[in-house]
Amino acid sequence: GAVVSQHPSWVICKSGTSVKIECRSLDFQATTMFWYRQFPKQSLMLMATSNEGSKATYEQGVEKDKFLINHASLTLSTLTVTSAHPEDSSFYICSARDGGKGGNIQYFGAGTRLSVL
Amino acid sequence: QKEVEQNSGPLSVPEGAIASLNCTYSDRGSQSFFWYRQYSGKSPELIMSIYSNGDKEDGRFTAQLNKASQYVSLLIRDSQPSDSATYLCAVRLTGGGNKLTFGTGTQLKVEL
């Protein structure tokens, strides 16, 4: 399957700071990437859809000013958690859609575990 | 009714048995269906995709799709302890663009 790289894999930060997470598709071009959040023992929650060269589409209830998404190229999307607070501590996972011969499938990055102190 | 429903489990099967995981969906027009496996603390990994009615086999895994009944299932033959994980059903719903709607997942435990 296709490879999606997500970095960093874990981060600990102080309350009030901002954290940037990168998601890269390594062997295919991803016009669309997705950002999910998952709390312990819960299912994936889609936060936003990131389209290359345009503004992200946020799901209902997700603060776009707090979770900044940039998709500047066909292989890179970033999620910035601004002014992070302890309640933002979670497992953040990106996925990239391979719309080519990959059959329009989403491949996931390894995830970023964020802990806000 | 949830858009994609799965029994949360846990589903326990003995090693070597067939594990059967089921998923129902509400949107009759859905065309794309996926099964992902997620180990505890890890991100989901794709197991199977299926688009047409019938069975699709890949090694020990078989996905079954019945659009008339609006269900998709995953069979795991010769279950191994390493198959113990949460299995997520995902559906690309009509009008949802390219995003996937996930079920809550079924936890599978394969016991020695």
Side-chain angles (χ1 to χ4, degrees), chain A residues 76-117:
Chain A
L76 173 64
S77 176
T78 61
L79 168 68
T80 301
V81 183
T82 62
S83 186
H85 288 92
E87 58 266 30
D88 298 323
S89 299
S90 188
F91 190 40
Y92 292 86
I93 315 172
C94 73
S95 72
R97 170 181 163 264
D98 183 352
K101 60 182 180 179
N104 212 21
I105 290 172
Q106 283 189 35
Y107 296 95
F108 284 85
T112 298
R113 199 162 299 281
L114 171 64
S115 294
V116 184
L117 304 178

Side-chain angles (χ1 to χ4, degrees), chain A residues 34 36 38 43-44 46 59 91 93 97 103-106 108-110 113, chain B residues 34 36 38 41-44 46 49 51 88 92 98-100 102-104:
Chain A
F34 303 87
Y36 296 85
Q38 187 174 39
S43 188
L44 294 170
L46 178 66
E59 296 298 303
F91 190 40
I93 315 172
R97 170 181 163 264
N104 212 21
I105 290 172
Q106 283 189 35
F108 284 85
R113 199 162 299 281
Chain B
F34 307 86
Y36 288 84
Q38 187 176 23
K42 303 294 185 181
S43 67
L46 180 70
S49 60
Y51 307 99
L88 301 170
R92 182 167 288 114
N98 292 313
K99 67 180 183 182
L100 296 179
F102 284 84
T104 54

Side-chain angles (χ1 to χ4, degrees), chain A:
Chain A
V3 179
V4 175
S5 172
Q6 185 173 343
H7 178 82
S9 56
W10 59 272
V11 59
I12 302 173
C13 69
K14 294 181 179 179
S15 184
T17 60
S18 294
V19 174
K20 179 185 281 190
I21 302 170
E22 292 188 351
C23 182
R24 295 179 184 273
S25 57
L26 297 186
D27 52 0
F28 66 98
Q29 293 184 331
T31 54
T32 308
M33 291 185 175
F34 303 87
W35 289 95
Y36 296 85
R37 180 167 56 181
Q38 187 174 39
F39 292 105
K41 305 295 184 184
Q42 295 187 24
S43 188
L44 294 170
M45 186 195 81
L46 178 66
M47 299 175 67
T49 301
S50 169
N51 296 298
E52 186 266 338
S54 65
K55 292 183 179 180
T57 302
Y58 290 81
E59 296 298 303
Q60 190 173 6
V62 177
E63 300 176 58
K64 62 180 181 180
D65 294 331
K66 181 169 184 62
F67 299 100
L68 301 179
I69 291 172
N70 184 279
H71 194 158
S73 77
L74 286 171
T75 59
L76 173 64
S77 176
T78 61
L79 168 68
T80 301
V81 183
T82 62
S83 186
H85 288 92
E87 58 266 30
D88 298 323
S89 299
S90 188
F91 190 40
Y92 292 86
I93 315 172
C94 73
S95 72
R97 170 181 163 264
D98 183 352
K101 60 182 180 179
N104 212 21
I105 290 172
Q106 283 189 35
Y107 296 95
F108 284 85
T112 298
R113 199 162 299 281
L114 171 64
S115 294
V116 184
L117 304 178

Side-chain angles (χ1 to χ4, degrees), chain B residues 74-85:
Chain B
L74 180 70
L75 301 178
I76 306 175
R77 289 181 299 281
D78 189 22
S79 295
Q80 301 297 309
S82 58
D83 295 326
S84 298

